[in-house]
Structure formats: C-alpha cells, structure tokens
Amino acid sequence: MFRRRESVPFSFVADADRFRSNVTPPPSARASVPELLGRSLIGLTVVAGLVGSLLLGLPALDSGQSAASHGKQSEASQGR
C-alpha cells in the first residue's frame, strides 16, 4: 500500500549504470592538409590584423605630453 518514492533530482543517479550505452561514437575525421593550411592562414591573418591595429593605434593613444615638453612658446611671448 505504501510506495517508496525517490526524490526526483537524484533518481537518475542510482540508475545511471543501467542505461549506459555500448555504442562507441565514430572516430573523428582528421583534417586534411588544405584544411590545416587554411586554418593557419586565417589564424595568421587575425593575428596580423591585431598587431597592425595596435601599431597604427598607438600614436593615437599618445597623451601629447611629449609635444608640450619641447618648450614651445607662443608668438606673443617671443617679442618680450
């Protein structure tokens, strides 16, 4: 008359060994030489783009302190 109830979240843990499959997945296909060359070319292109943007962007990130420290004076102060 009384049924034994298992808690819902952990009921699958006790039966996990019973439902294991004996089917092995197929082996993954090895990448061919053109695929490897294409992947490496894409990777090199991405890295070259990042390095190029860094090199071109560094002058824009300069704070301008070096230009102010050269001792430039205004034209009005030169006559004094």
Side-chain angles (χ1 to χ4, degrees):
M1 190 155 93
F2 293 103
R3 280 186 16 205
R4 179 176 165 249
R5 289 185 57 194
E6 295 181 8
S7 61
V8 175
F10 300 105
S11 63
F12 65 91
V13 176
D15 298 330
D17 291 331
R18 190 183 319 165
F19 296 112
R20 289 200 183 176
S21 174
N22 60 355
V23 178
T24 58
S28 59
R30 296 187 66 186
S32 64
V33 174
E35 287 177 345
L36 290 175
L37 289 175
R39 290 177 189 173
S40 62
L41 184 63
I42 289 174
L44 286 174
T45 304
V46 169
V47 169
L50 291 173
V51 169
S53 65
L54 182 66
L55 290 176
L56 292 175
L58 280 178
L61 294 174
D62 191 17
S63 63
Q65 295 294 332
S66 61
S69 65
H70 287 297
K72 290 186 178 180
Q73 295 178 351
S74 66
E75 293 178 10
S77 65
Q78 287 178 357
R80 294 184 182 184

Coordinates of all heavy atoms in Angstrom, one line a residue:
M1 N 0.8 -1.2 0.0 CA 0.0 0.0 0.0 C 0.9 1.3 0.0 O 0.6 2.2 -0.7 CB -0.9 0.0 1.2 CG -1.9 1.0 1.2 SD -3.3 0.6 2.1 CE -3.0 1.4 3.6
F2 N 2.0 1.2 0.7 CA 2.9 2.4 0.7 C 4.0 2.2 -0.4 O 4.6 1.1 -0.4 CB 3.6 2.6 2.1 CG 2.6 3.0 3.1 CD1 2.2 2.0 4.0 CD2 2.1 4.3 3.2 CE1 1.3 2.4 5.0 CE2 1.2 4.6 4.2 CZ 0.8 3.7 5.1
R3 N 4.1 3.1 -1.3 CA 5.1 3.0 -2.3 C 6.3 3.8 -1.9 O 6.2 4.9 -1.3 CB 4.6 3.6 -3.6 CG 3.8 2.6 -4.4 CD 3.4 3.1 -5.7 NE 4.1 4.2 -6.3 CZ 3.7 5.0 -7.2 NH1 2.5 4.9 -7.7 NH2 4.4 6.0 -7.7
R4 N 7.5 3.3 -2.2 CA 8.7 4.0 -1.9 C 9.0 5.0 -3.0 O 9.1 4.6 -4.2 CB 9.9 3.0 -1.8 CG 11.2 3.7 -1.5 CD 12.3 2.6 -1.3 NE 13.6 3.2 -1.4 CZ 14.4 3.1 -2.4 NH1 14.2 2.3 -3.4 NH2 15.6 3.7 -2.4
R5 N 9.1 6.3 -2.7 CA 9.3 7.3 -3.7 C 10.7 7.8 -3.5 O 11.2 8.1 -2.4 CB 8.3 8.4 -3.5 CG 6.9 8.1 -3.9 CD 6.0 9.2 -3.8 NE 6.5 10.3 -4.7 CZ 6.1 11.6 -4.6 NH1 5.2 11.9 -3.8 NH2 6.6 12.5 -5.4
E6 N 11.4 8.0 -4.6 CA 12.7 8.6 -4.6 C 12.6 10.1 -5.0 O 11.7 10.4 -5.7 CB 13.7 7.9 -5.6 CG 13.9 6.5 -5.2 CD 14.9 5.8 -6.3 OE1 15.4 6.5 -7.1 OE2 15.1 4.6 -6.2
S7 N 13.5 10.8 -4.5 CA 13.5 12.2 -4.8 C 13.8 12.4 -6.3 O 14.6 11.7 -6.9 CB 14.5 13.0 -4.0 OG 15.8 12.6 -4.2
V8 N 13.1 13.3 -6.9 CA 13.2 13.4 -8.4 C 14.6 13.8 -8.9 O 15.1 13.2 -9.8 CB 12.1 14.5 -8.9 CG1 12.3 14.7 -10.4 CG2 10.7 14.0 -8.5
P9 N 15.3 14.8 -8.3 CA 16.6 15.2 -8.9 C 17.6 14.1 -8.8 O 18.5 14.0 -9.7 CB 17.0 16.4 -8.1 CG 15.8 16.9 -7.4 CD 14.9 15.7 -7.2
F10 N 17.6 13.2 -7.8 CA 18.6 12.2 -7.7 C 18.2 10.8 -8.1 O 18.9 9.8 -7.9 CB 19.1 12.1 -6.2 CG 19.6 13.5 -5.8 CD1 18.9 14.3 -5.0 CD2 20.8 13.9 -6.2 CE1 19.4 15.5 -4.6 CE2 21.3 15.2 -5.9 CZ 20.6 16.0 -5.0
S11 N 17.0 10.6 -8.7 CA 16.6 9.3 -9.1 C 17.4 8.8 -10.2 O 17.5 7.6 -10.4 CB 15.1 9.3 -9.5 OG 14.9 10.2 -10.6
F12 N 17.9 9.6 -11.1 CA 18.7 9.1 -12.2 C 20.1 8.7 -11.8 O 20.7 7.9 -12.6 CB 18.8 10.2 -13.3 CG 19.6 11.4 -12.9 CD1 20.9 11.5 -13.1 CD2 19.0 12.5 -12.3 CE1 21.7 12.6 -12.7 CE2 19.7 13.6 -11.9 CZ 21.0 13.7 -12.1
V13 N 20.6 9.1 -10.7 CA 21.9 8.7 -10.3 C 22.0 7.2 -10.0 O 23.0 6.6 -10.3 CB 22.4 9.6 -9.0 CG1 23.7 9.1 -8.6 CG2 22.4 11.0 -9.4
A14 N 21.0 6.7 -9.3 CA 21.1 5.3 -9.0 C 20.9 4.4 -10.2 O 21.5 3.3 -10.3 CB 19.9 4.9 -8.0
D15 N 20.3 4.9 -11.2 CA 20.1 4.1 -12.4 C 21.0 4.4 -13.6 O 20.8 4.0 -14.7 CB 18.6 4.3 -13.0 CG 17.6 3.8 -12.0 OD1 17.9 2.9 -11.2 OD2 16.5 4.4 -11.9
A16 N 22.1 5.2 -13.3 CA 22.9 5.6 -14.3 C 23.7 4.5 -15.0 O 23.9 4.5 -16.2 CB 23.9 6.7 -13.8
D17 N 24.1 3.5 -14.2 CA 24.9 2.4 -14.8 C 24.0 1.5 -15.6 O 24.5 0.8 -16.6 CB 25.5 1.5 -13.7 CG 26.6 2.3 -13.0 OD1 27.2 3.1 -13.6 OD2 26.8 2.0 -11.8
R18 N 22.8 1.4 -15.3 CA 21.9 0.5 -16.1 C 21.6 1.0 -17.5 O 21.4 0.2 -18.4 CB 20.5 0.5 -15.3 CG 19.6 -0.6 -15.9 CD 18.3 -0.7 -15.2 NE 18.4 -0.5 -13.7 CZ 17.4 -0.2 -13.0 NH1 16.2 -0.1 -13.5 NH2 17.5 0.0 -11.7
F19 N 21.7 2.3 -17.7 CA 21.3 2.9 -19.0 C 22.5 3.3 -19.9 O 22.4 4.0 -20.8 CB 20.4 4.1 -18.9 CG 19.1 3.7 -18.2 CD1 18.8 4.1 -17.0 CD2 18.2 2.9 -18.9 CE1 17.6 3.8 -16.4 CE2 17.0 2.5 -18.4 CZ 16.7 3.0 -17.1
R20 N 23.7 2.8 -19.5 CA 24.9 3.2 -20.3 C 24.8 2.5 -21.6 O 24.5 1.3 -21.7 CB 26.2 2.8 -19.6 CG 26.4 3.8 -18.4 CD 27.8 3.8 -18.0 NE 27.9 4.6 -16.8 CZ 28.9 4.8 -16.1 NH1 30.0 4.2 -16.4 NH2 29.0 5.6 -15.1
S21 N 25.3 3.2 -22.6 CA 25.2 2.7 -24.0 C 26.5 2.0 -24.3 O 27.6 2.4 -23.9 CB 25.0 3.8 -25.0 OG 25.1 3.3 -26.3
N22 N 26.5 0.9 -25.1 CA 27.7 0.2 -25.5 C 28.0 0.6 -26.9 O 28.9 0.0 -27.5 CB 27.5 -1.3 -25.4 CG 26.3 -1.8 -26.2 OD1 25.6 -1.0 -26.9 ND2 26.2 -3.1 -26.3
V23 N 27.4 1.6 -27.5 CA 27.7 2.1 -28.8 C 28.8 3.1 -28.8 O 28.7 4.1 -28.1 CB 26.5 2.7 -29.5 CG1 26.8 3.2 -30.9 CG2 25.3 1.7 -29.5
T24 N 29.9 2.9 -29.5 CA 31.0 3.8 -29.5 C 30.8 4.8 -30.6 O 30.3 4.5 -31.7 CB 32.3 3.1 -29.7 OG1 32.3 2.4 -31.0 CG2 32.6 2.1 -28.6
P25 N 31.1 6.1 -30.4 CA 30.9 7.1 -31.4 C 31.9 6.9 -32.5 O 33.0 6.3 -32.3 CB 31.2 8.4 -30.7 CG 32.0 8.1 -29.5 CD 31.6 6.7 -29.1
P26 N 31.6 7.3 -33.7 CA 32.6 7.1 -34.8 C 33.8 8.0 -34.6 O 33.8 9.0 -33.9 CB 31.8 7.6 -36.0 CG 30.8 8.5 -35.5 CD 30.4 8.0 -34.1
P27 N 35.0 7.5 -35.1 CA 36.2 8.3 -34.9 C 36.1 9.6 -35.6 O 35.5 9.7 -36.7 CB 37.3 7.4 -35.5 CG 36.6 6.5 -36.4 CD 35.2 6.3 -35.9
S28 N 36.7 10.6 -35.0 CA 36.7 12.0 -35.6 C 37.6 12.0 -36.9 O 38.6 11.4 -36.9 CB 37.1 13.0 -34.7 OG 38.4 12.7 -34.2
A29 N 37.1 12.6 -37.9 CA 37.9 12.7 -39.1 C 39.1 13.6 -39.0 O 39.0 14.7 -38.4 CB 37.0 13.2 -40.3
R30 N 40.2 13.2 -39.5 CA 41.4 14.0 -39.4 C 41.3 15.1 -40.5 O 40.8 14.9 -41.6 CB 42.6 13.2 -39.6 CG 42.8 12.1 -38.5 CD 44.1 11.4 -38.7 NE 45.2 12.4 -38.4 CZ 46.5 12.1 -38.6 NH1 46.8 10.9 -39.0 NH2 47.4 13.0 -38.4
A31 N 41.8 16.3 -40.1 CA 41.8 17.4 -41.1 C 42.9 17.1 -42.2 O 44.0 16.7 -41.9 CB 42.1 18.7 -40.3
S32 N 42.5 17.5 -43.4 CA 43.4 17.3 -44.5 C 44.4 18.4 -44.5 O 44.3 19.4 -43.8 CB 42.6 17.2 -45.8 OG 42.0 18.4 -46.0
V33 N 45.4 18.3 -45.4 CA 46.5 19.3 -45.5 C 45.9 20.7 -45.9 O 46.2 21.7 -45.3 CB 47.6 18.8 -46.4 CG1 48.6 19.9 -46.7 CG2 48.2 17.6 -45.8
P34 N 45.0 20.8 -46.9 CA 44.5 22.1 -47.3 C 43.6 22.7 -46.1 O 43.7 23.9 -46.0 CB 43.6 21.8 -48.5 CG 44.1 20.5 -49.1 CD 44.6 19.8 -47.9
E35 N 42.9 21.9 -45.4 CA 42.2 22.4 -44.2 C 43.1 23.0 -43.2 O 42.9 24.1 -42.6 CB 41.3 21.4 -43.6 CG 40.1 21.0 -44.5 CD 39.3 19.9 -43.9 OE1 39.8 19.2 -42.9 OE2 38.2 19.7 -44.3
L36 N 44.2 22.3 -42.9 CA 45.2 22.8 -41.9 C 45.8 24.1 -42.4 O 46.0 25.0 -41.6 CB 46.2 21.7 -41.7 CG 45.8 20.5 -40.9 CD1 46.9 19.5 -40.8 CD2 45.3 20.9 -39.5
L37 N 46.2 24.1 -43.7 CA 46.8 25.4 -44.2 C 45.8 26.5 -44.2 O 46.2 27.7 -43.9 CB 47.3 25.1 -45.7 CG 48.5 24.2 -45.8 CD1 48.8 24.0 -47.3 CD2 49.7 24.9 -45.1
G38 N 44.5 26.3 -44.5 CA 43.5 27.3 -44.4 C 43.3 27.8 -43.0 O 43.2 29.0 -42.8
R39 N 43.3 26.9 -42.1 CA 43.1 27.4 -40.7 C 44.3 28.2 -40.2 O 44.1 29.2 -39.5 CB 42.9 26.1 -39.8 CG 41.6 25.4 -39.9 CD 41.5 24.2 -39.1 NE 40.4 23.4 -39.4 CZ 40.1 22.2 -38.9 NH1 41.0 21.7 -38.1 NH2 39.0 21.6 -39.3
S40 N 45.5 27.7 -40.6 CA 46.7 28.5 -40.1 C 46.7 29.9 -40.8 O 47.1 30.9 -40.2 CB 47.9 27.7 -40.4 OG 48.1 27.5 -41.8
L41 N 46.3 29.9 -42.1 CA 46.3 31.2 -42.8 C 45.3 32.2 -42.2 O 45.5 33.4 -42.0 CB 45.9 31.0 -44.3 CG 46.0 32.2 -45.2 CD1 47.4 32.8 -45.2 CD2 45.5 31.9 -46.6
I42 N 44.1 31.7 -41.8 CA 43.1 32.5 -41.1 C 43.7 33.0 -39.8 O 43.5 34.1 -39.4 CB 41.8 31.7 -40.9 CG1 41.1 31.6 -42.3 CG2 40.9 32.4 -40.0 CD1 39.9 30.7 -42.3
G43 N 44.3 32.1 -39.0 CA 44.9 32.5 -37.7 C 45.9 33.5 -37.9 O 46.0 34.5 -37.1
L44 N 46.8 33.4 -38.9 CA 47.9 34.4 -39.1 C 47.3 35.7 -39.6 O 47.8 36.8 -39.2 CB 48.8 33.9 -40.2 CG 49.8 32.8 -39.7 CD1 50.6 32.3 -40.9 CD2 50.7 33.3 -38.6
T45 N 46.2 35.7 -40.3 CA 45.6 36.9 -40.8 C 44.9 37.7 -39.6 O 45.1 38.9 -39.5 CB 44.5 36.6 -41.8 OG1 45.1 35.9 -42.9 CG2 43.8 37.9 -42.3
V46 N 44.3 36.9 -38.7 CA 43.7 37.6 -37.5 C 44.8 38.2 -36.6 O 44.7 39.3 -36.1 CB 42.9 36.5 -36.7 CG1 42.5 37.1 -35.4 CG2 41.7 36.1 -37.5
V47 N 45.9 37.4 -36.4 CA 47.0 37.9 -35.6 C 47.7 39.1 -36.2 O 47.9 40.1 -35.5 CB 48.0 36.8 -35.3 CG1 49.3 37.3 -34.6 CG2 47.4 35.7 -34.4
A48 N 47.9 39.1 -37.5 CA 48.5 40.2 -38.2 C 47.6 41.5 -38.2 O 48.0 42.6 -38.0 CB 48.8 39.9 -39.7
G49 N 46.3 41.2 -38.2 CA 45.3 42.4 -38.1 C 45.4 43.0 -36.7 O 45.3 44.2 -36.6
L50 N 45.4 42.2 -35.7 CA 45.5 42.7 -34.3 C 46.8 43.5 -34.1 O 46.8 44.5 -33.5 CB 45.3 41.6 -33.3 CG 44.0 40.9 -33.2 CD1 44.0 39.7 -32.3 CD2 42.9 41.9 -32.8
V51 N 47.9 42.9 -34.6 CA 49.2 43.6 -34.4 C 49.2 44.9 -35.2 O 49.7 45.9 -34.7 CB 50.4 42.7 -34.8 CG1 51.7 43.4 -34.9 CG2 50.5 41.5 -33.8
G52 N 48.7 44.9 -36.4 CA 48.7 46.1 -37.2 C 47.8 47.2 -36.6 O 48.2 48.3 -36.6
S53 N 46.7 46.8 -36.1 CA 45.8 47.8 -35.5 C 46.4 48.3 -34.2 O 46.3 49.5 -33.9 CB 44.4 47.2 -35.2 OG 44.5 46.2 -34.2
L54 N 47.2 47.5 -33.5 CA 47.9 48.0 -32.3 C 49.0 49.0 -32.7 O 49.1 50.0 -32.1 CB 48.5 46.8 -31.5 CG 49.2 47.2 -30.3 CD1 48.2 47.7 -29.2 CD2 49.9 45.9 -29.7
L55 N 49.7 48.6 -33.8 CA 50.8 49.5 -34.2 C 50.3 50.8 -34.8 O 50.9 51.9 -34.5 CB 51.7 48.8 -35.2 CG 52.6 47.7 -34.7 CD1 53.3 47.0 -35.9 CD2 53.6 48.2 -33.7
L56 N 49.2 50.8 -35.5 CA 48.6 52.0 -36.0 C 47.8 52.8 -35.0 O 47.7 54.0 -35.1 CB 47.7 51.7 -37.2 CG 48.4 51.1 -38.5 CD1 47.3 50.7 -39.5 CD2 49.3 52.1 -39.0
G57 N 47.4 52.2 -33.9 CA 46.6 52.8 -32.9 C 47.4 53.4 -31.8 O 46.9 54.3 -31.1
L58 N 48.6 53.0 -31.6 CA 49.5 53.5 -30.5 C 49.7 55.0 -30.7 O 49.7 55.7 -29.7 CB 50.8 52.7 -30.4 CG 50.7 51.4 -29.7 CD1 52.0 50.7 -29.7 CD2 50.2 51.6 -28.3
P59 N 50.0 55.6 -31.8 CA 50.2 57.0 -31.9 C 48.9 57.8 -31.5 O 49.0 58.9 -31.0 CB 50.6 57.3 -33.4 CG 51.2 56.0 -33.8 CD 50.4 54.9 -33.1
A60 N 47.8 57.3 -31.8 CA 46.5 58.0 -31.5 C 46.3 57.9 -30.0 O 45.6 58.8 -29.4 CB 45.4 57.3 -32.2
L61 N 46.9 56.9 -29.3 CA 46.7 56.8 -27.8 C 47.7 57.7 -27.1 O 47.6 57.7 -25.8 CB 46.8 55.4 -27.4 CG 45.7 54.5 -27.9 CD1 46.0 53.0 -27.5 CD2 44.3 54.9 -27.4
D62 N 48.6 58.3 -27.8 CA 49.7 59.1 -27.1 C 49.0 60.3 -26.4 O 48.1 60.9 -27.0 CB 50.7 59.5 -28.1 CG 51.9 60.2 -27.5 OD1 52.1 59.9 -26.3 OD2 52.7 60.8 -28.2
S63 N 49.4 60.6 -25.2 CA 48.7 61.6 -24.5 C 49.1 63.0 -24.9 O 48.5 64.0 -24.5 CB 49.0 61.5 -23.0 OG 50.4 61.6 -22.7
G64 N 50.2 63.2 -25.7 CA 50.6 64.5 -26.1 C 51.5 65.2 -25.2 O 51.8 66.4 -25.3
Q65 N 51.9 64.6 -24.1 CA 52.8 65.2 -23.2 C 54.2 65.5 -23.8 O 54.8 66.4 -23.4 CB 53.0 64.3 -21.9 CG 51.7 64.2 -21.1 CD 51.2 65.5 -20.5 OE1 52.0 66.3 -20.2 NE2 49.9 65.6 -20.3
S66 N 54.6 64.7 -24.7 CA 56.0 64.9 -25.3 C 56.0 66.2 -26.1 O 57.0 66.8 -26.2 CB 56.4 63.7 -26.1 OG 55.5 63.5 -27.2
A67 N 54.9 66.5 -26.8 CA 54.9 67.7 -27.6 C 54.9 69.0 -26.7 O 55.5 70.0 -27.1 CB 53.6 67.7 -28.5
A68 N 54.3 68.9 -25.6 CA 54.2 70.1 -24.7 C 55.5 70.3 -23.9 O 55.8 71.4 -23.5 CB 53.1 69.9 -23.7
S69 N 56.3 69.3 -23.8 CA 57.6 69.4 -23.1 C 58.7 69.9 -23.9 O 59.8 70.0 -23.4 CB 57.9 68.0 -22.4 OG 58.2 67.1 -23.5
H70 N 58.5 70.1 -25.2 CA 59.6 70.6 -26.0 C 59.9 72.1 -25.9 O 60.8 72.6 -26.5 CB 59.3 70.3 -27.5 CG 59.4 68.9 -27.9 ND1 60.6 68.2 -27.8 CD2 58.5 68.0 -28.3 CE1 60.5 67.0 -28.2 NE2 59.2 66.8 -28.5
G71 N 59.1 72.8 -25.1 CA 59.4 74.2 -24.8 C 58.8 75.1 -25.8 O 59.5 76.1 -26.1
K72 N 57.7 74.8 -26.4 CA 57.1 75.7 -27.4 C 56.6 76.9 -26.7 O 55.9 76.8 -25.7 CB 56.0 75.0 -28.2 CG 56.5 73.9 -29.1 CD 55.4 73.4 -29.9 CE 55.9 72.3 -30.9 NZ 54.8 71.8 -31.7
Q73 N 56.8 78.1 -27.3 CA 56.3 79.3 -26.7 C 55.4 80.0 -27.8 O 55.5 79.8 -29.0 CB 57.5 80.3 -26.4 CG 58.4 79.8 -25.3 CD 59.5 80.7 -25.1 OE1 59.7 81.7 -25.8 NE2 60.3 80.5 -24.0
S74 N 54.5 80.8 -27.3 CA 53.6 81.5 -28.2 C 54.3 82.6 -28.9 O 55.3 83.1 -28.4 CB 52.3 82.0 -27.4 OG 52.8 83.0 -26.5
E75 N 53.7 83.1 -29.9 CA 54.3 84.2 -30.7 C 54.3 85.5 -29.9 O 55.2 86.3 -30.0 CB 53.6 84.4 -32.0 CG 53.7 83.3 -33.0 CD 52.9 83.5 -34.2 OE1 52.4 84.6 -34.4 OE2 52.8 82.5 -35.0
A76 N 53.3 85.7 -29.0 CA 53.3 86.9 -28.2 C 54.4 87.0 -27.2 O 54.9 88.1 -26.9 CB 51.9 87.0 -27.5
S77 N 54.8 85.8 -26.7 CA 55.9 85.9 -25.7 C 57.3 85.9 -26.3 O 58.2 86.2 -25.6 CB 55.8 84.6 -24.8 OG 56.1 83.5 -25.6
Q78 N 57.4 85.8 -27.6 CA 58.7 85.8 -28.2 C 59.2 87.3 -28.3 O 60.4 87.5 -28.3 CB 58.7 85.2 -29.6 CG 58.6 83.7 -29.6 CD 58.5 83.1 -31.0 OE1 58.4 83.8 -32.0 NE2 58.4 81.8 -31.1
G79 N 58.3 88.2 -28.4 CA 58.8 89.6 -28.6 C 59.2 90.2 -27.3 O 59.8 91.3 -27.2
R80 N 59.1 89.6 -26.2 CA 59.4 90.2 -24.9 C 60.8 89.9 -24.5 O 61.4 89.0 -24.7 CB 58.4 89.7 -23.8 CG 57.1 90.3 -24.1 CD 56.2 89.9 -23.0 NE 54.8 90.3 -23.3 CZ 53.8 90.2 -22.5 NH1 54.0 89.7 -21.3 NH2 52.7 90.7 -22.8

